[in-house]
Amino acid sequence: MRICFLAGSNSVHSIRWISYFVDRGFEVSWISLAPATPEAQGLIAKTHYYEITPSPLADYSGRQALLNLPGAIRQVRQILKKEQPAVMHLHSAGTYGLVGVFSNFKPTILTPWGSDLFFASRLKRLVQYLVVGRAQLIVCNGEKIRERLLSLGAVETDIRIINFGTDVDIFKPDEGARLPSNLEDSAPEGALKVLSLRAFHPVYDLKTLINAALIVTQQKPNIHFLLVGDGPEKARLKAAVQIAQLQKNVHFLGRVEYVDLPALLNYSDIYVSTSLSDSGLSAATSEAMSCGLPVIVSDSADNRDWIAHNKNGLLFPPSAPQQLAHAILQLADNSALRHKMGASNRALIKEKNNYSEEMAKMAAIYKKMAGVDSPKR
């Protein structure tokens, strides 16, 4: 059985998703509108990979993006005619979704990422209506995004909730973990380490974490903050750290390879997410929970469905640095509570967000839509 993914080869979520099916004997065609990251290269070699050029992957207000759109649709149609997949899966309700649904291939499955559907411009909302209305099935990973899809005209019976899942055999507690040697870290031995893995984009609101760090370190200077990632807000965030004179306590670690994340999570003591919006439970938060970390997350999206306040983590109002600081100090002063929350989180992810189990559900959907019982081997 052949699946065609119209998905970015620069997306860690798509790479993880496609890896599962390649590793289990499915034949995979992969069409990307963006250049591949180094992390994708090994997987690309195991698929029939195509990169669309010139790409329409740009802001919808960009004239060149619109000019490139018809050519991209033609290329995708030609690839589909050549590859003859049993089903096509579109990763995102934005440009990928638009190119995919106008290729006129059926059956087509759509998986919107959370950022596709929220904080969208008027033109992007129009695109969402078009994409959502033309997909035969929509797979999402949370109740909030399901509600948004219904508001865009999706039929309730055409929506399935499948969690993205976490590989619990890779992301697991390891008391002896050390920070990977290739990562620079200035936190002294014995410091309590607060970790964020969210990219430096406005939607993830890292400024709130920096403002909270200022409050926290005034009371407990031995608490250090590790910020992993990159993005357009990086310069502004670094400037905010300098203005607050937090250089000794806030450390920018840059991008971290996926293989190094389990060690980094185990090296840390508390995980924090300040995101203003997510689709279901974010992958980073789930990975932290699977490693047995206590988590402090904004009370947004579906986080309340996964985090019971004061049970397996702490919730705080979005963009509220005072409340976030209070939560960090609460956990910093109570190692027993941190360990109790971490153990609860590990059990929860193993039970309800296991990558292998969630992808097995997805495999069943592919087979049903394609009308086959098992992948070709």
Side-chain angles (χ1 to χ4, degrees):
M1 174 183 167
R2 180 175 295 279
I3 307 167
C4 179
F5 291 94
L6 185 50
S9 54
N10 60 343
S11 165
V12 65
H13 300 305
S14 292
I15 292 169
R16 289 181 62 245
W17 193 299
I18 294 170
S19 293
Y20 177 90
F21 294 97
V22 168
D23 291 345
R24 282 154 183 81
F26 286 78
E27 295 178 344
V28 169
S29 303
W30 187 358
I31 307 173
S32 177
L33 303 180
T37 59
E39 187 177 8
Q41 295 300 331
L43 180 60
I44 283 172
K46 301 175 184 178
T47 70
H48 291 189
Y49 178 76
Y50 302 86
E51 204 167 283
I52 301 299
T53 56
S55 173
L57 196 62
D59 189 275
Y60 292 129
S61 62
R63 182 171 179 269
Q64 193 59 50
L66 294 175
L67 290 175
N68 290 343
L69 193 61
I73 293 171
R74 283 195 299 271
Q75 289 181 63
V76 169
R77 286 176 177 173
Q78 291 168 359
I79 293 167
L80 291 169
K81 184 176 181 180
K82 174 185 176 182
E83 293 291 312
Q84 293 291 305
V87 63
M88 179 166 66
H89 194 163
L90 314 177
H91 282 191
S92 106
T95 309
Y96 282 94
L98 189 64
V99 171
V101 296
F102 280 100
S103 71
N104 295 326
F105 181 88
K106 294 181 180 180
T108 293
I109 301 171
L110 169 68
T111 293
W113 305 142
S115 56
D116 298 343
L117 301 184
F118 302 100
F119 305 103
S121 67
R122 184 178 301 177
L123 184 54
K124 288 185 178 181
R125 286 197 296 271
L126 175 60
V127 169
Q128 292 167 8
Y129 276 107
L130 291 171
V131 173
V132 167
R134 292 173 69 98
Q136 281 73 62
L137 189 73
I138 304 174
V139 172
C140 65
N141 72 329
E143 186 59 31
K144 291 291 189 297
I145 199 166
R146 188 189 74 87
E147 292 171 0
R148 175 63 176 161
L149 288 165
L150 291 173
S151 75
L152 291 169
V155 178
E156 188 163 7
T157 54
D158 291 341
I159 301 175
R160 305 287 186 275
I161 293 183
I162 303 287
N163 295 321
F164 292 163
T166 293
D167 192 328
V168 297
D169 295 323
I170 294 176
F171 290 90
K172 58 186 178 182
D174 180 1
E175 293 183 0
R178 299 291 301 173
L179 190 71
S181 59
N182 61 311
L183 296 178
E184 180 182 354
D185 175 40
S186 303
E189 190 73 25
L192 188 137
K193 295 168 285 293
V194 177
L195 176 67
S196 169
L197 296 178
R198 309 316 299 264
F200 302 161
H201 291 268
V203 68
Y204 298 125
D205 194 25
L206 271 299
K207 183 65 183 300
T208 289
L209 180 57
I210 291 171
N211 289 338
L214 178 60
I215 299 168
V216 168
T217 54
Q218 287 173 346
Q219 299 184 45
K220 289 188 176 295
N222 199 37
I223 296 180
H224 286 247
F225 295 79
L226 310 180
L227 275 58
V228 171
D230 203 349
E233 295 279 287
K234 183 176 182 178
R236 191 171 76 90
L237 294 171
K238 283 195 166 185
V241 167
Q242 289 182 330
I243 291 170
Q245 298 182 343
L246 286 169
Q247 298 95 318
K248 291 183 178 180
N249 290 82
V250 177
H251 313 285
F252 291 86
L253 302 186
R255 292 183 182 273
V256 174
E257 294 294 327
Y258 185 73
V259 295
D260 291 329
L261 286 179
L264 179 59
L265 284 161
N266 276 286
Y267 174 76
S268 305
D269 300 291
I270 298 170
Y271 175 81
V272 170
S273 172
T274 50
S275 179
L276 301 176
S277 175
D278 276 309
S279 171
L281 180 68
S282 81
T285 301
S286 179
E287 287 159 0
M289 294 168 71
S290 187
C291 284
L293 279 182
V295 298
I296 303 173
V297 297
S298 54
D299 191 3
S300 62
D302 294 294
N303 285 339
R304 188 173 284 269
D305 295 338
W306 293 89
I307 305 301
H309 188 64
N310 279 322
K311 299 293 185 182
N312 65 322
L314 298 175
L315 297 165
F316 69 95
S319 300
Q322 289 278 358
Q323 289 91 329
L324 173 56
H326 176 77
I328 293 170
L329 290 168
Q330 179 182 340
L331 289 187
D333 287 333
N334 195 333
S335 62
L337 181 59
R338 294 200 305 270
H339 286 100
K340 181 180 178 181
M341 287 180 170
S344 296
N345 284 334
R346 171 68 178 171
L348 177 64
I349 297 304
K350 286 182 69 176
E351 178 186 356
K352 294 187 176 180
N353 201 31
N354 186 312
Y355 168 69
S356 295
E357 293 177 4
E358 295 302 306
M359 289 298 100
K361 296 175 187 176
M362 196 66 230
I365 289 175
Y366 289 145
K367 294 173 192 176
K368 183 176 181 180
M369 292 196 73
V372 299
D373 294 325
S374 61
K376 187 182 292 183
R377 296 184 182 277

